[in-house]
Amino acid sequence: MRIGIDRMAFATTNDYLDLVELAKERGVDPNKFTIGIGQDLQAVVPPTQDIVTLGATAAKKLLTPELEKNISTVIVATESGIDNSKASAIYIKHLLGLSDFTRTVEMKEACYSATAAIQFAKGVVALNPQETVLVIAADIARYGLNTPGEVTQGAGAVAMLISRNPHILTLEDTTAAYSKDIMDFWRPLYATEALVDGKYSTNVYIEFFLQTFTRYQQLTGRELADFAALTFHMPFTKMGKKGLEGLLKDRNDEVAQRLRTQLTASQLFSRQVGNLYTGSLYLSLMSLLQNSDLRAGSRIGLFSYGSGAEGEFYTGILEDGYEHYMNNIQEELKHRHQVSVAEYEKLFSSQLGMNDRDIEFDVTNDPLPFVLKGQKDHQRIYEAK
């Protein structure tokens, strides 16, 4: 039985920041951001949006009444949880109007957990082929104003349906996972911004990619020539390039050139949105599929990484007509609203965060279909507009 990704959809906020403007405001050479880090624009989050509203918005784009009938499970992968106990999946399931006979759960392991969610979803479908699992990777990357990590912030959600006879990508059985207790990036319970050792984390990322790819080769006997493309977790697009070049080194043959070309295609959307944490790998996959000419039957490699640290390399075979089962991301990104650095800073500081007070937000100007109205009696209030 073929099991894999049947449909995909992406959602981000309506506001964005031009990183050239941020560089000028911070007294930094813009090339450090646009070339050194590989980012051009960054999603800016208003207080009326969080992982629940973004996740629900992404899911709404791919659901139909017929598809909803088969959803047995909703899994939200995130490191931006809004409650230490209650799963964000329950809020999203409610906003989407899904059946009460639906399993809901939230998963966490830094940026890796969406991949674990997909593997678990594959198991659910293998046991119950009539069922479909909705996997949502939703995150808001925050490092703070005027910090070294500021340029690698971002926000968004990728929603995926995992089912039998998928229309986008059939997942192959062999995977290679690798984990170690490493402090390269973490966020204590009392913090709203992450702590990170940037250079160390980059080195760990490359090591985990090489370890998992080598292990995969040992298990399958496959070579680089067997791949049409490799996709990467991209907290910033230069990270994916570092991973690929760590594997290719000085290699410049036809296979290496093809993989570099496809990497560029996979970076385009991330350059315009920023860091999605759990969703970054899957936004890069959507970018590859919407900005390249890959054919049905092509094998795509996916490297997932989450600090702390865990990595996994796995593969999928592209299905015929895959391009018809995703939303047009580039077209949607054209209609966002640019904010100034001052506006960005105000919005950044207006988040609900760990506030314990009752608060009500003005949702009038938020164009997304789901909004966070505020908080009352320690309970977040959501609305479907």
Side-chain angles (χ1 to χ4, degrees):
M1 178 171 56
R2 295 186 300 107
I3 301 174
I5 302 175
D6 183 62
R7 283 165 171 77
M8 302 182 78
F10 169 70
T12 187
T13 61
N14 189 56
D15 298 323
Y16 74 90
L17 175 68
D18 188 324
L19 293 181
V20 171
E21 297 301 315
L22 180 65
K24 292 177 180 177
E25 182 68 24
R26 300 292 186 250
V28 175
D29 180 355
N31 287 335
K32 182 177 180 180
F33 291 173
T34 60
I35 298 176
I37 300 296
Q39 297 299 126
D40 295 323
L41 308 176
Q42 184 178 105
V44 174
V45 186
T48 51
Q49 292 295 317
D50 65 6
I51 61 164
V52 168
T53 58
L54 291 171
T57 298
K60 182 179 174 66
K61 294 180 181 182
L62 55 72
L63 291 179
T64 65
E66 190 62 32
L67 290 171
E68 290 175 5
K69 294 177 183 178
N70 297 323
I71 294 176
S72 68
T73 305
V74 178
I75 307 175
V76 174
T78 186
E79 57 180 279
S80 310
I82 50 91
D83 190 282
N84 285 328
S85 178
K86 187 173 179 178
S88 53
I90 294 179
Y91 292 101
I92 292 176
K93 169 251 173 185
H94 174 73
L95 287 173
L96 295 173
L98 298 179
S99 167
D100 286 345
F101 294 100
T102 302
R103 182 185 299 111
T104 54
V105 68
E106 180 174 311
M107 297 182 63
K108 179 180 69 178
E109 175 24 54
C111 303
Y112 162 77
S113 60
T115 297
I118 288 173
Q119 300 297 354
F120 294 169
K122 185 179 176 184
V124 170
V125 176
L127 289 172
N128 304 283
Q130 76 282 2
E131 296 182 3
T132 297
V133 179
L134 172 60
V135 172
I136 300 171
D139 267 304
I140 296 172
R142 287 173 61 94
Y143 295 99
L145 303 177
N146 253 314
T147 63
E150 183 177 32
V151 68
T152 61
Q153 298 178 138
V158 176
M160 298 169 276
L161 291 182
I162 309 301
S163 73
R164 65 176 175 175
N165 302 324
H167 287 99
I168 296 178
L169 196 71
T170 293
L171 301 180
E172 296 187 287
D173 290 337
T174 303
T175 73
Y178 186 75
S179 62
K180 283 186 175 182
D181 185 0
I182 290 174
M183 298 302 289
D184 62 326
F185 170 107
W186 68 104
R187 183 166 67 85
L189 290 175
Y190 52 78
T192 57
E193 283 80 48
L195 303 172
V196 60
D197 185 338
K199 290 184 179 180
Y200 179 47
S201 188
T202 297
N203 291 334
V204 173
Y205 173 101
I206 296 170
E207 176 199 347
F208 273 50
F209 169 55
L210 297 178
Q211 289 281 2
T212 56
F213 186 78
T214 299
R215 176 65 172 165
Y216 175 86
Q217 287 186 301
Q218 293 169 346
L219 294 172
T220 63
R222 294 189 178 119
E223 301 295 334
L224 271 178
D226 295 317
F227 294 91
L230 299 178
T231 55
F232 293 82
H233 165 58
M234 289 186 192
F236 54 93
T237 64
K238 196 67 173 286
M239 185 78 100
K241 179 178 174 60
K242 288 177 181 290
L244 181 61
E245 294 304 328
L247 178 66
L248 297 179
K249 300 186 185 303
D250 296 328
R251 185 169 170 173
N252 200 32
D253 56 16
E254 181 181 347
V255 171
Q257 291 177 12
R258 180 181 74 241
L259 294 177
R260 289 187 177 105
T261 297
Q262 301 295 16
L263 176 71
T264 299
S266 73
Q267 293 172 321
L268 294 178
F269 293 156
S270 294
R271 291 189 71 97
Q272 300 176 63
V273 176
N275 193 353
L276 303 189
Y277 286 158
T278 52
S280 294
L281 168 60
Y282 300 99
L283 180 60
S284 72
L285 174 61
M286 294 184 75
S287 184
L288 171 70
L289 299 183
Q290 295 189 18
N291 294 290
S292 66
D293 56 356
L294 292 175
R295 298 178 180 179
S298 296
R299 176 175 287 110
I300 298 173
L302 299 96
F303 173 61
S304 179
Y305 176 77
S307 293
E310 186 156 3
E312 184 166 347
F313 184 85
Y314 71 111
T315 58
I317 303 298
L318 203 55
E319 293 295 327
D320 187 36
Y322 65 86
E323 64 273 14
H324 301 300
Y325 296 90
M326 299 174 284
N327 64 311
N328 187 327
I329 295 177
Q330 188 58 60
E331 184 60 31
E332 293 183 6
L333 292 178
K334 292 178 182 177
H335 301 290
R336 292 183 298 169
H337 168 251
Q338 182 177 348
V339 298
S340 67
V341 174
E343 289 172 315
Y344 144 71
E345 292 177 339
K346 181 178 179 180
L347 291 170
F348 185 92
S349 301
S350 300
Q351 300 296 303
L352 182 58
M354 294 186 176
N355 196 327
D356 63 356
R357 295 181 292 106
D358 289 353
I359 188 169
E360 183 175 354
F361 296 127
D362 181 1
V363 301
T364 307
N365 296 320
D366 193 321
L368 269 64
F370 303 102
V371 292
L372 172 63
K373 293 187 66 177
Q375 179 173 270
K376 186 174 182 180
D377 297 330
H378 307 284
Q379 300 176 44
R380 291 195 175 209
I381 309 299
Y382 294 99
E383 179 181 89
K385 296 182 72 176

